[in-house]
């Protein structure tokens, strides 16, 4: 029992909270730098394979370029609970070794696992060379694996290019390829006649088939309008954002921007570690420097702590810090600052 009139020693409480806050931040930093110590790799596919690639042109405008890809991310047992676009990605590498396109599996049937279809589209003003030995790669997302599965690589040969010379011929060849690939999907998924329907004009997509295919290949109704049961007039061009929005889980993995160049350079400077780990370390060092400057400027511990949420938000916005990690850091930082203020002024 305390004596009457006894006062609370807030200085001791402040020191205790300070130690707890630092400990929490160190734990989160450890989690960011050594995720393998907390999370194990997902199950490796029993079959990670690009099954076929075919390239077409003149589909919307003269000399445009569409590479369609049939693939298999197969598991003998159950696949991971997270969708395939979390763990796997596709890269298009031109014949000069430049990474010029990225996609992720469309997570529809079986969350994107087993047989599937995807594509890379390039407009005429940014088109890869025709009849060149480009490569399509199916591999693990490097931000989700500590030991990557063996990738599947398809080198595009001359026979993989369409022999069509105009739009009608290329569209007809594309529609034939799609029908074959979709029939394979129906067999692999165990859903006969669910994606294609027979009409007097031939096989066309059912409503279910359209739902899958317009997600798997954005802009497909412009490339192969005759495979749709109901056609409408084609006006303009497909929205470029349809393609860029697809790669949200890998937007920072291979994008050719100055920020990505800096991230990759930091990773190389620190012994070839994951760029995400390198930038997380940089963010932590930067926060410590900002805290020191704030304390020096205002001679206030609270002011130095106040820079943490702002710095974390900016770092996440420019992709230097994963948003999930930002949420954890920000939560701990705000909680810690609140306890500090309560200890001093409560």
């Amino acid at each position: 029992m305390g004596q009457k009139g006894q006062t609370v020693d807030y200085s001791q409480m402040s020191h205790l909270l300070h130690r707890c806050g630092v400990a929490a931040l160190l734990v989160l930093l450890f989690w960011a730098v050594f995720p393998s110590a907390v999370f194990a790799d997902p199950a490796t596919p029993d079959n990670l394979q690009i099954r076929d690639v075919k390239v077409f042109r003149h589909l919307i405008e003269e000399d445009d370029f569409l590479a369609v890809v049939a693939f298999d991310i197969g598991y003998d047992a159950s696949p991971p609970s997270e969708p395939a676009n979390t763990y796997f990605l596709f890269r298009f590498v031109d014949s000069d070794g430049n990474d010029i396109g990225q996609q992720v599996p469309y997570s529809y049937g079986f969350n994107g696992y087993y047989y599937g279809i995807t594509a890379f589209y390039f407009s005429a003003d940014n088109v890869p060379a025709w009849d060149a030995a480009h490569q399509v790669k199916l591999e693990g997302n490097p931000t989700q694996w500590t030991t990557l599965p063996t990738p599947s690589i398809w080198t595009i040969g001359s026979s993989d290019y369409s022999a069509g010379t105009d739009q009608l011929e290329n569209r007809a060849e594309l529609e034939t390829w799609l029908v074959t690939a979709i029939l394979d999907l129906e067999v692999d998924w165990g859903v006969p006649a669910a994606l294609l329907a027979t009409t007097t004009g031939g096989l066309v997509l059912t409503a279910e088939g359209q739902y899958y295919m317009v997600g798997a290949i954005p802009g497909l109704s412009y490339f192969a309008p005759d495979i749709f049961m109901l056609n409408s007039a084609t006006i303009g061009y497909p929205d470029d954002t349809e393609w860029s929005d697809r790669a949200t889980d890998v937007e920072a993995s291979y994008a050719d921007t100055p920020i990505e160049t800096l991230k990759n350079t930091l990773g190389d400077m620190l012994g070839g570690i994951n760029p995400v780990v390198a930038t997380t370390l940089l963010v932590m060092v930067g926060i410590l420097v900002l805290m020191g400057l704030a304390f020096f400027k205002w001679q206030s511990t609270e002011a130095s702590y106040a820079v943490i949420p702002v710095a974390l938000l900016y770092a996440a916005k420019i992709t230097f810090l994963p948003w999930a990690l930002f949420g954890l850091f920000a939560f701990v930082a705000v909680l810690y600052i609140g306890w500090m203020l309560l200890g001093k002024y409560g």
Side-chain angles (χ1 to χ4, degrees):
M1 297 289 292
Q3 297 178 355
K4 183 178 180 180
Q6 182 179 9
T7 60
V8 178
D9 188 346
Y10 286 112
S11 63
Q12 290 185 356
M13 181 182 295
S14 176
H15 286 303
L16 176 60
L17 291 172
H18 176 79
R19 293 190 182 96
C20 292
V22 171
L25 290 175
L26 288 175
V27 168
L28 289 174
L29 177 60
F30 178 84
W31 178 84
V33 177
F34 303 105
S36 61
V38 182
F39 300 106
D41 279 346
T44 301
D46 296 289
N47 191 36
L48 186 65
Q49 178 188 16
I50 295 176
R51 300 176 50 250
D52 191 23
V53 176
K54 192 74 175 181
V55 184
F56 304 91
R57 58 180 172 176
H58 310 319
L59 295 171
I60 297 178
E61 57 181 338
E62 186 175 358
D63 293 329
D64 61 1
F65 185 108
L66 179 74
V68 287
V69 182
F71 65 89
D72 181 20
I73 306 176
Y75 286 84
D76 293 341
S78 297
S81 58
E82 292 294 321
N85 60 14
T86 299
Y87 296 127
F88 299 96
L89 57 87
F90 298 88
R91 298 167 53 206
F92 192 98
V93 181
D94 69 16
S95 56
D96 295 324
N98 300 310
D99 191 342
I100 61 172
Q102 303 87 38
Q103 285 292 351
V104 291
Y106 180 54
S107 296
Y108 178 66
F110 299 99
N111 260 348
Y113 295 105
Y114 304 107
Y115 276 22
I117 298 172
T118 191
F120 295 88
Y121 177 72
F122 301 92
S123 60
D125 58 356
N126 191 33
V127 68
W130 186 258
D131 202 18
H134 310 303
Q135 288 187 331
V136 178
K137 299 182 178 182
L138 169 57
E139 58 189 35
N141 184 336
T143 66
Q144 301 296 323
W145 300 76
T146 55
T147 302
L148 289 167
T150 302
S152 176
I153 302 174
W154 183 288
T155 300
I156 302 175
S158 295
S159 62
D160 298 323
Y161 286 88
S162 168
T165 58
D166 58 25
Q167 184 183 77
L168 289 178
E169 291 178 354
N170 273 272
R171 286 185 172 182
E173 284 193 41
L174 172 59
E175 289 158 6
T176 299
W177 185 95
L178 288 170
V179 165
T180 301
I182 295 168
L183 287 172
D184 288 342
L185 287 187
E186 290 185 334
V187 173
D188 186 66
W189 292 1
V191 287
L195 305 179
L196 290 171
T198 302
T199 67
T200 55
L203 289 173
V204 296
L205 292 170
T206 64
E208 192 80 2
Q210 291 183 45
Y211 190 89
Y212 172 71
M213 290 305 302
V214 297
I217 306 179
L220 180 61
S221 61
Y222 297 90
F223 305 138
D226 290 342
I227 202 173
F228 288 82
M229 187 172 294
L230 296 176
N231 295 321
S232 57
T234 300
I235 303 176
Y237 296 91
D239 188 354
D240 289 341
T241 59
E242 287 185 284
W243 292 88
S244 61
D245 290 347
R246 290 275 322 282
T248 55
D249 290 313
V250 291
E251 61 184 1
S253 296
Y254 299 99
D256 184 15
T257 66
I259 287 179
E260 286 306 310
T261 301
L262 175 59
K263 291 167 68 174
N264 292 328
T265 301
L266 285 172
D268 293 338
M269 291 173 60
L270 296 177
I273 65 175
N274 191 305
V276 176
V277 175
T279 53
T280 300
L281 289 172
L282 179 64
V283 169
M284 297 306 300
V285 172
I287 287 176
L288 291 176
V289 171
L290 289 173
M291 289 175 66
L293 292 174
F295 182 81
F296 179 79
K297 173 70 175 177
W298 290 289
Q299 296 296 307
S300 168
T301 303
E302 291 81 6
S304 67
Y305 289 134
V307 305
I308 296 176
V310 177
L312 290 175
L313 177 61
Y314 185 76
K317 184 176 180 181
I318 64 173
T319 72
F320 267 40
L321 190 71
W323 279 105
L325 191 56
F326 159 77
L328 289 174
F329 272 115
F331 174 78
V332 172
V334 171
L335 186 63
Y336 178 40
I337 292 171
W339 274 105
M340 287 291 295
L341 295 174
L342 180 63
K344 186 169 184 178
Y345 300 111

